Amino acid sequence: LSLGEAKNLPTYPGPNKMRDCYCTVNLDQEEVFRTKIVEKSLCPFYGEDFYCEIPRTFRHLSFYIFDRDVFRRDSIIGKVAIQKEDLQKYHNRDTWFQLQHVDADSEVQGKVHLELRLSEVITDTGVVCHKLATRVLECQGLPIVNGQCDPYATVTLAGPSRQTKVKKKTNNPHFDEVFYFEVTRPSSYNKKSHFDIEDVDEVDKMEIRVDLWNASNLKFGDEFLGELRLPLKFLRQSSSYEAWYFLQPRDNGNKSLKPDDLGSLRLNVVYTEDHVFSSDYYSPLRDLLLKSADVEPVSASAAHILGEVCREKQEAAIPLVRLFLHYGRIVPFISAIANAEVKRTQDPNTIFRGNSLTSKCIDETMKLAGMHYLQVTLKPIIDEICQVHKPCEIDPVKLKDGENLENNRENLRQYVDRIFTVITKSGVSCPTVMCDIFFSLRESAAKRFQGDLDVRYTAVSSFIFLRFFAPAILSPNLFQLTPHHPDPQTSRTLTLISKTIQTLGSLSKSKSANFKESYMATFYDYFNEQKYADAVKNFLDLISSSGRRDHKSIEQPILLKEGFMIKRAQGRKRFGMKNFKKRWFRLTNHEFTYQKSKADHPLCSIPIENILAVERLEEESFKMKNMFQVIQPERRVLYIQANNCVEAKDWIDILTKVSQCNKKRLTVYHPSAYLNGHWLCCKATADNTPGCTPCTGGLPANIQLDIDGDRETERIYSLFNLYMPKLEKMQEACGSKSVYDGPEEEEYSTFIIDDPKETYKTLKLIIEGVGTLEQEHAQYKRDKFKKTKYGSQEHPIGDKSFQTYIRQQSEISAHSI
């Protein structure tokens, strides 16, 4: 998600009219991300990106704009809610959305499981009357309101409503309560009744209503969570009916004011959904891709062809790099495509300057492999720049009142000097995979342009300075160096530093000519000394030398993740309270620790080798959502609650992967807690009873963090499938080139085809592999379509995406008939 800006927000009723606003991202009503606060603005610019794996099903992706209130609860200005099935409409397009009013009656999530039974009863006098039994079984996924959910249901027919018991502290309540209603009464019945319906035909006009409420102890009364209205006429066909339903907003939930009242929000949403099969399905396509580095020429390989047919090279680079990294083939692959690109380059000054597949793949590799390297090198000084706010503006036109140009220049010079020094001294920390790639770039460039002695440096500096350090300084939030986009003043400082560092690293002959602005050229004179050029060359020599290994650097603790969560006391003290407390958690490749706050000493440290399993914890254990457990030797368990579902998934994934190689990993675990003398899951009484459920996370021990090879192959299959017309066109081009070998036809000249025969062979294999996978997907969908019941727990009645799917499937089957 890219959260751009909001525009024309309503003015604050106070004298200054401005607002302090922030934006949240929600899956249904669960907040998973929050931007920084933009103060005193009605058109706040956020400029923040958020990426997450979506860990559960959802109905709406929602964005709320809040106005911060220091004294009271922050107030909601408006929201944008996009239905899951509409996300594809806005995929990767900058879109302005009108903000809508937020109405408690229209904020609905969750589903309810009901059973209805209409039966005829013959009275003593022989007259027939109808009775309706409504059984409210359970609900799932109700919203948590102000940190709690104590739900109950009311059921109404034509008279007063009946109410279930309140279920405390759960958003997945089990009610299993039955309510009986008299629908028609015998004509001899003379006692005045609430259900005064004489005619059996009237039944068709009646509806049963089920409302869900959150029992609140506040003076404002109970909160509405959603409703369901079902006409009784559908019970005419079948006297009993049982199904899951999505809760709906109240009928009046759609009342809204004029749509342009609240302003608008600019968003760019990129949403992909991949359905991944098990590994063996992907073997032919995966093997074809992994062979790419050995294919001669490399332009005839499957990976290079993907780069040729994709609309943007970035699309191809992301899954390719992840796949090759996962299987340890990234260095030979990048060496092969870089070598081919260098051979095609005519001028040493333009080496690796385009947005080619090579440059995009190296960018992506640096992002994945170099994230920790950036953290240790740049984060301390970037944090300082963001916190201290020293004035560094050196454009005389932009100087603020009271600022001194010389002082600002000196502030900027000191920052540039410090950042330049930490970068050029960081050679030994550069990840091995990056060094191996830089070595092959350097060799290729030196061999191709033997007369240019500097090309061995510029080939490497164009990546490490131009596409790695400079962008990270310019936009630290995109490289996880800061949580948010910096404020305008800091952003300007970072822009000036980034420009200077980029020029210092480029080693071009006339530095000052690089700058369009005269004030930058003047400032650069500070750095026009030979010692800076020498430092850059020494650094580039170190990171691009063959066989550079520094085992000490690998032994340094690498920070993988940190943040506040809530944990339950582990009961170390005999009489200590086992209560819940907020703690700062930190995970490195050596240990998992928690402390009271970020700056404190750890209260507890768990070595990675002592993590025997990391699993979710059933909500019923403590009536708390998003909980997981870290199981240690002697069955000691640390119970932790994350802030939301996305964060819980992130922590479970990274803890599982970092402890994957532990020799004593468990194979079974308890999905619930040990409370009141027994395990809630299997009811065993001994606290050291072995687990009752197989452990999840059975991943191979050598897995790279966050990379799933099958999933990346599925993504590549999807891309090939999407660009199938281009693959077929490329096949035609091979035929035309090899047959006529004359001048290329204009329509085929967009492809690089060095060897038509080899390229044609590979294309044939790709098209076959993609066709086979396409058939597997189609068969899977047909089977699923046959087995899936509308109204089941997975597809409740009211599931629009499933209704669309059913419509598509019936069209496909009608077409095939």
Side-chain angles (χ1 to χ4, degrees):
L1 305 170
S2 291
L3 295 127
E5 59 196 301
K7 177 167 91 168
N8 305 330
L9 298 180
T11 55
Y12 187 71
N16 68 4
K17 302 200 179 316
M18 291 294 152
R19 294 180 182 269
D20 299 343
C21 297
Y22 60 91
C23 180
T24 67
V25 179
N26 295 52
L27 290 176
D28 295 323
Q29 291 174 57
E30 183 181 6
E31 183 185 316
V32 294
F33 178 72
R34 174 179 292 216
T35 67
K36 64 171 185 286
I37 295 167
V38 177
E39 296 183 336
K40 299 184 179 58
S41 173
L42 296 178
C43 296
F45 176 77
Y46 298 109
E48 295 195 34
D49 293 319
F50 173 61
Y51 169 85
C52 80
E53 295 285 321
I54 296 180
R56 59 173 177 81
T57 54
F58 68 103
R59 287 162 73 183
H60 290 91
L61 179 66
S62 306
F63 304 83
Y64 292 81
I65 301 262
F66 283 86
D67 185 12
R68 180 183 59 175
D69 192 321
V70 181
F71 303 108
R72 291 193 301 279
R73 224 168 72 208
D74 298 350
S75 55
I76 299 181
I77 296 171
K79 72 166 182 182
V80 170
I82 308 172
Q83 287 187 348
K84 180 186 175 182
E85 47 274 17
D86 291 340
L87 283 170
Q88 216 49 46
K89 270 194 242 170
Y90 307 108
H91 178 76
N92 208 3
R93 290 206 333 250
D94 258 20
T95 311
W96 282 98
F97 292 90
Q98 289 290 336
L99 287 172
Q100 305 294 325
H101 281 271
V102 175
D103 174 357
D105 288 346
S106 68
E107 294 283 291
V108 165
Q109 70 180 65
K111 51 194 174 185
V112 59
H113 189 188
L114 285 188
E115 188 181 344
L116 301 175
R117 193 180 297 276
L118 190 64
S119 48
E120 291 184 345
V121 180
I122 301 174
T123 62
D124 298 342
T125 55
V127 180
V128 175
C129 68
H130 291 83
K131 284 204 157 100
L132 174 72
T134 304
R135 184 177 176 204
V136 184
L137 289 131
E138 60 181 310
C139 294
Q140 276 190 348
L142 299 177
I144 291 174
V145 186
N146 303 331
Q148 58 112 37
C149 189
D150 298 338
Y152 67 89
T154 61
V155 184
T156 316
L157 193 59
S161 58
R162 321 279 182 83
Q163 181 181 324
T164 65
K165 293 187 179 74
V166 174
K167 298 290 178 181
K168 290 280 187 187
K169 289 189 177 172
T170 177
N171 66 339
N172 298 323
H174 286 261
F175 295 113
D176 203 1
E177 294 188 40
V178 186
F179 302 98
Y180 294 96
F181 297 94
E182 201 169 293
V183 179
T184 59
R185 61 182 181 75
S187 49
S188 60
Y189 195 73
N190 54 19
K191 192 175 170 192
K192 258 302 189 197
S193 159
H194 288 300
F195 313 105
D196 198 12
I197 295 155
E198 299 274 357
D199 190 352
V200 177
D201 292 336
E202 289 289 312
V203 174
D204 286 359
K205 294 175 188 166
M206 297 175 74
E207 65 176 11
I208 187 94
R209 199 175 91 221
V210 180
D211 292 271
L212 264 294
W213 299 86
N214 181 25
S216 168
N217 49 14
L218 301 170
K219 59 182 181 210
F220 304 115
D222 297 350
E223 284 117 347
F224 172 76
L225 300 179
E227 72 168 21
L228 188 60
R229 290 168 179 257
L230 296 174
L232 292 193
K233 64 179 172 195
F234 74 86
L235 287 171
R236 282 270 175 229
Q237 285 81 36
S238 155
S239 58
S240 81
Y241 195 80
E242 179 249 329
W244 283 85
Y245 296 85
F246 268 139
L247 287 168
Q248 301 298 334
R250 272 193 185 143
D251 284 349
N252 64 352
N254 296 325
K255 281 184 192 163
S256 63
L257 304 177
K258 285 188 303 188
D260 55 354
D261 281 352
L262 300 173
S264 50
L265 179 65
R266 181 163 65 93
L267 300 168
N268 189 326
V269 179
V270 176
Y271 176 72
T272 52
E273 194 175 287
D274 290 323
H275 297 265
V276 186
F277 288 124
S278 55
S279 231
D280 45 333
Y281 284 87
Y282 297 108
S283 295
L285 184 59
R286 183 175 53 232
D287 295 346
L288 188 63
L289 287 158
L290 291 174
K291 270 197 327 218
S292 294
D294 309 319
V295 173
E296 280 289 336
V298 74
S299 61
S301 70
H304 194 281
I305 288 169
L306 181 67
E308 287 297 287
V309 296
C310 280
R311 199 180 61 182
E312 288 177 15
K313 304 285 188 223
Q314 181 85 357
E315 265 184 315
I318 293 173
L320 283 175
V321 164
R322 296 173 76 89
L323 183 73
F324 283 111
L325 260 176
H326 181 64
Y327 288 101
R329 301 280 296 147
I330 193 69
V331 176
F333 170 63
I334 286 182
S335 300
I337 56 172
N339 203 18
E341 187 177 325
V342 169
K343 281 179 183 165
R344 285 194 295 272
T345 307
Q346 300 306 315
D347 180 354
N349 294 317
T350 61
I351 198 163
F352 301 127
R353 285 298 158 99
N355 280 329
S356 62
L357 183 65
T358 309
S359 55
K360 288 295 180 194
C361 283
I362 296 174
D363 285 354
E364 202 52 39
T365 307
M366 292 193 301
K367 252 188 185 171
L368 283 170
M371 206 50 97
H372 172 251
Y373 176 37
L374 276 181
Q375 298 271 339
V376 293
T377 311
L378 293 182
K379 191 168 172 31
I381 189 162
I382 297 276
D383 283 346
E384 185 188 319
I385 293 168
C386 292
Q387 285 156 15
V388 178
H389 290 295
K390 275 187 188 172
C392 294
E393 184 53 75
I394 57 170
D395 181 353
V397 181
K398 291 184 179 172
L399 274 191
K400 290 182 186 162
D401 291 344
E403 282 187 358
N404 179 303
L405 186 60
E406 278 313 308
N407 286 353
N408 287 11
R409 254 195 210 129
E410 182 52 26
N411 289 342
L412 186 62
R413 191 190 67 74
Q414 285 180 9
Y415 278 148
V416 170
D417 233 346
R418 284 174 60 194
I419 285 187
F420 178 80
T421 306
V422 294
I423 290 173
T424 50
K425 292 263 173 71
S426 69
V428 293
S429 307
C430 186
T432 307
V433 69
M434 282 167 65
C435 296
D436 291 346
I437 289 168
F438 295 149
F439 172 69
S440 75
L441 297 183
R442 175 191 177 120
E443 294 297 291
S444 286
K447 195 170 164 188
R448 171 83 173 86
F449 299 104
Q450 289 172 5
D452 189 327
L453 295 176
D454 276 343
V455 76
R456 67 186 61 203
Y457 294 117
T458 51
V460 177
S461 70
S462 64
F463 285 104
I464 194 79
F465 281 101
L466 206 70
R467 305 175 82 115
F468 186 63
F469 283 121
I473 296 164
L474 185 66
S475 306
N477 56 309
L478 297 184
F479 291 82
Q480 291 162 29
L481 296 172
T482 57
H484 299 294
H485 196 75
D487 61 82
Q489 185 190 324
T490 308
S491 204
R492 174 68 179 156
T493 301
L494 294 172
T495 303
L496 295 169
I497 295 170
S498 178
K499 276 184 173 184
T500 318
I501 290 291
Q502 192 172 315
T503 311
L504 271 167
S506 69
L507 289 170
S508 58
K509 308 288 186 288
S510 56
K511 297 296 177 68
S512 300
N514 279 4
F515 297 108
K516 298 187 202 83
E517 312 93 339
S518 56
Y519 62 85
M520 281 303 293
T522 314
F523 173 68
Y524 198 80
D525 288 341
Y526 286 128
F527 304 98
N528 243 339
E529 295 176 38
Q530 189 56 37
K531 67 173 185 181
Y532 289 102
D534 292 344
V536 169
K537 285 184 174 177
N538 288 339
F539 168 66
L540 296 173
D541 277 334
L542 181 58
I543 63 169
S544 61
S545 56
S546 170
R548 185 214 64 99
R549 297 282 186 282
D550 187 88
H551 292 290
K552 271 191 212 149
S553 68
I554 298 164
E555 284 308 304
Q556 295 297 313
I558 297 173
L559 178 64
L560 299 171
K561 191 167 175 61
E562 60 182 345
F564 274 115
M565 291 192 288
I566 290 166
K567 65 107 198 162
R568 182 178 188 251
Q570 296 182 80
R572 291 162 185 276
K573 296 176 187 153
R574 194 168 169 192
F575 299 109
M577 289 282 287
K578 288 195 179 180
N579 52 2
F580 287 88
K581 287 187 174 153
K582 193 173 183 179
R583 292 288 181 256
W584 181 264
F585 283 82
R586 221 166 164 272
L587 174 67
T588 70
N589 56 333
H590 291 185
E591 60 181 358
F592 182 47
T593 60
Y594 62 78
Q595 52 229 50
K596 277 192 177 171
S597 68
K598 193 173 180 178
D600 290 348
H601 284 296
L603 297 169
C604 169
S605 166
I606 304 170
I608 294 300
E609 57 272 20
N610 280 0
I611 297 177
L612 307 186
V614 183
E615 297 287 347
R616 293 187 180 281
L617 186 71
E618 286 178 358
E619 187 197 323
E620 292 305 308
S621 299
F622 300 108
K623 307 279 189 198
M624 290 162 75
K625 275 178 79 71
N626 303 320
M627 286 202 74
F628 63 94
Q629 49 183 322
V630 178
I631 306 168
Q632 303 160 63
E634 294 161 19
R635 305 274 168 201
R636 296 235 345 270
V637 186
L638 176 60
Y639 296 120
I640 303 171
Q641 183 188 34
N643 296 318
N644 57 58
C645 60
V646 169
E647 210 174 278
K649 182 184 186 300
D650 285 352
W651 275 106
I652 293 168
D653 283 354
I654 200 160
L655 280 162
T656 301
K657 284 165 186 168
V658 83
S659 60
Q660 201 69 53
C661 306
N662 293 349
K663 294 184 179 69
K664 295 181 180 172
R665 277 190 69 82
L666 297 178
T667 52
V668 288
Y669 78 107
H670 291 286
S672 287
Y674 182 78
L675 292 172
N676 305 326
H678 68 271
W679 291 100
L680 298 181
C681 38
C682 57
K683 305 293 183 264
T685 50
D687 64 352
N688 59 355
T689 308
C692 55
T693 306
C695 283
T696 58
L699 300 162
N702 62 349
I703 192 159
Q704 291 272 349
L705 276 191
D706 284 339
I707 295 180
D708 174 340
D710 299 331
R711 181 178 157 171
E712 302 309 330
T713 316
E714 170 62 32
R715 181 98 290 272
I716 291 168
Y717 147 76
S718 299
L719 288 169
F720 274 137
N721 204 18
L722 180 66
Y723 294 112
M724 186 55 77
K726 279 195 177 180
L727 287 170
E728 288 163 352
K729 194 118 188 189
M730 205 171 177
Q731 252 189 334
E732 279 176 37
C734 290
S736 78
K737 276 193 75 165
S738 53
V739 174
Y740 303 110
D741 209 27
E744 283 183 42
E745 286 184 46
E746 189 57 41
E747 60 177 321
Y748 300 141
S749 61
T750 48
F751 305 120
I752 293 173
I753 302 172
D754 297 318
D755 183 331
K757 207 169 172 184
E758 278 303 313
T759 309
Y760 187 89
K761 272 191 212 165
T762 309
L763 280 162
K764 192 164 177 284
L765 291 170
I766 292 171
I767 291 167
E768 278 169 14
V770 169
T772 307
L773 276 169
E774 199 179 355
Q775 283 172 358
E776 293 291 356
H777 275 287
Q779 186 59 48
Y780 174 79
K781 279 183 179 171
R782 282 195 294 274
D783 293 348
K784 189 173 178 219
F785 179 62
K786 281 178 199 159
K787 289 176 200 161
T788 304
K789 180 182 163 217
Y790 190 42
S792 63
Q793 194 170 349
E794 296 75 36
H795 297 288
I797 293 171
D799 180 353
K800 288 185 183 163
S801 56
F802 186 65
Q803 286 171 307
T804 311
Y805 172 70
I806 285 178
R807 200 167 54 247
Q808 287 168 349
Q809 290 303 311
S810 52
E811 282 166 12
I812 290 165
S813 52
H815 180 67
S816 61
I817 289 163

